[in-house]
Amino acid sequence: METLWSDPAAWQALLGGWRFNFTAELLRYGLVATAMWVLLHVLLKRRLAGRVIDGWPSAGDLRREIGYSIGTLFVFGALGMAVFALVITGHAEIYREPARHGWAWYVLSLPAMLLWHDAYFYWTHRLLHRPWWLRHVHGVHHRSRQPSPFAAYAFHPVEALINGLVTPLALLVVPLHWHVLVAFSLHQIVRNAHGHAAVEIMPRGFVRHAVWGRFTTTTHHHLHHETARGNYGLWFTWWDRWCGTERSDYLARFDATTGAARAP
Ligand SMILES: [Zn+2]
Ligand SMILES: [Zn+2]
């Protein structure tokens, strides 16, 4: 470590890691959230009018969400630099050859990461809803009562740090192929932006299906924003069901929104 911190070349490399991660996150967030907003809130706005869960976000909501999200990009950039430091000091491994740790791990590490992220988010989110945390930290995200896809990264910097630690913590324990990290971050931003879309685009009956019902929907997270109570889960519905925190009106609200959809 001592040699790393006293070496200007290492600092250059770390700054490069910061720039790389900041730019990658900026592109991912900017492109995905903008595409989702243009598609659902502009191009298909009239067609999806019957599928609005509660209401459209205002221009002020969008500006605030984008502002906080830019702050989050700085935090994620710093975390990328921290991952870079862990890798070059040998505390973490991001590998290139798929077979290096076995094909089974190459294939299973993405589902494992999704399960880990889902559990990590659920329990840190429950913590963020403790009164002090909600007032001083998580309240920033809950200022969006009718969120837009730009709310995907609209966090207080402390919450951005908590959320962003999910990958560095995993890398301290297991090696990950770079394909897995790319797929993990793309899945994350697409479903995150979709979860804040304010309109329900999943088909009728989705939430009552034996398999699909285990995946969260936009309605699931929108109801969380509506009252800041219940539906704390991220990708799957099971933690809320196991812990009795799923909103009792979830299925009925989903049915009401999808049932009111206009015929295409
Ligand atoms: Zn949210
Ligand atoms: Zn919350």
Side-chain angles (χ1 to χ4, degrees):
M1 290 293 278
E2 209 178 290
T3 51
L4 170 71
W5 304 124
S6 54
D7 180 1
W11 276 103
Q12 285 256 311
L14 288 176
L15 269 177
W18 188 93
R19 265 199 304 273
F20 174 81
N21 221 47
F22 179 86
T23 311
E25 288 287 356
L26 175 67
L27 288 174
R28 261 198 294 270
Y29 167 79
L31 292 175
V32 173
T34 304
M36 194 109 31
W37 178 75
V38 168
L39 183 68
L40 302 179
H41 289 214
V42 180
L43 298 177
L44 296 175
K45 187 169 188 175
R46 285 168 66 118
R47 178 178 274 212
L48 291 171
R51 282 196 171 231
V52 177
I53 299 163
D54 194 32
W56 296 104
S58 67
D61 285 325
L62 265 65
R63 279 195 294 274
R64 186 189 62 253
E65 289 167 355
I66 292 168
Y68 276 111
S69 295
I70 290 169
T72 294
L73 295 175
F74 279 90
V75 176
F76 285 179
L79 282 166
M81 188 169 87
V83 166
F84 207 78
L86 289 175
V87 169
I88 58 182
T89 54
H91 293 86
E93 184 186 349
I94 298 171
Y95 62 100
R96 290 166 187 268
E97 311 83 26
R100 180 175 166 85
H101 293 284
W103 283 97
W105 178 240
Y106 176 75
V107 173
L108 293 176
S109 49
L110 180 61
M113 280 295 287
L114 297 182
L115 293 176
W116 153 241
H117 192 190
D118 189 60
Y120 176 81
F121 182 89
Y122 180 83
W123 288 107
T124 53
H125 195 187
R126 290 286 301 269
L127 168 75
L128 288 164
H129 274 265
R130 306 283 298 173
W132 187 91
W133 286 90
L134 186 58
R135 197 173 317 120
H136 297 288
V137 178
H138 190 48
V140 163
H141 188 66
H142 277 281
R143 286 178 67 186
S144 301
R145 294 288 291 269
Q146 319 289 355
S148 84
F150 294 107
Y153 281 179
F155 305 127
H156 184 285
V158 172
E159 184 174 354
L161 181 68
I162 293 171
N163 288 344
L165 278 173
V166 68
T167 305
L169 287 174
L171 276 166
L172 283 174
V173 180
V174 290
L176 291 170
H177 194 281
W178 70 270
H179 292 165
V180 171
L181 288 171
V182 170
F184 177 74
S185 55
L186 283 177
H187 167 272
Q188 179 272 121
I189 188 60
V190 170
R191 284 197 63 196
N192 193 348
H194 172 245
H196 292 101
V199 288
E200 186 51 70
I201 59 169
M202 289 304 166
R204 287 179 206 185
F206 185 89
V207 295
R208 296 177 188 276
H209 189 272
V211 175
W212 303 127
R214 298 179 195 275
F215 291 81
T216 51
T217 60
T218 305
T219 303
H220 189 273
H221 194 61
H222 197 96
L223 298 188
H224 177 70
H225 275 265
E226 211 173 72
T227 58
R229 268 180 194 277
N231 290 9
Y232 301 102
L234 184 62
W235 310 135
F236 306 106
T237 51
W238 48 61
W239 279 107
D240 277 305
R241 289 180 181 163
W242 289 335
C243 299
T245 52
E246 181 171 284
R247 288 207 19 162
S248 57
D249 58 345
Y250 171 44
L251 301 186
R253 287 287 296 277
F254 182 92
D255 290 343
T257 306
T258 52
R262 291 175 181 177

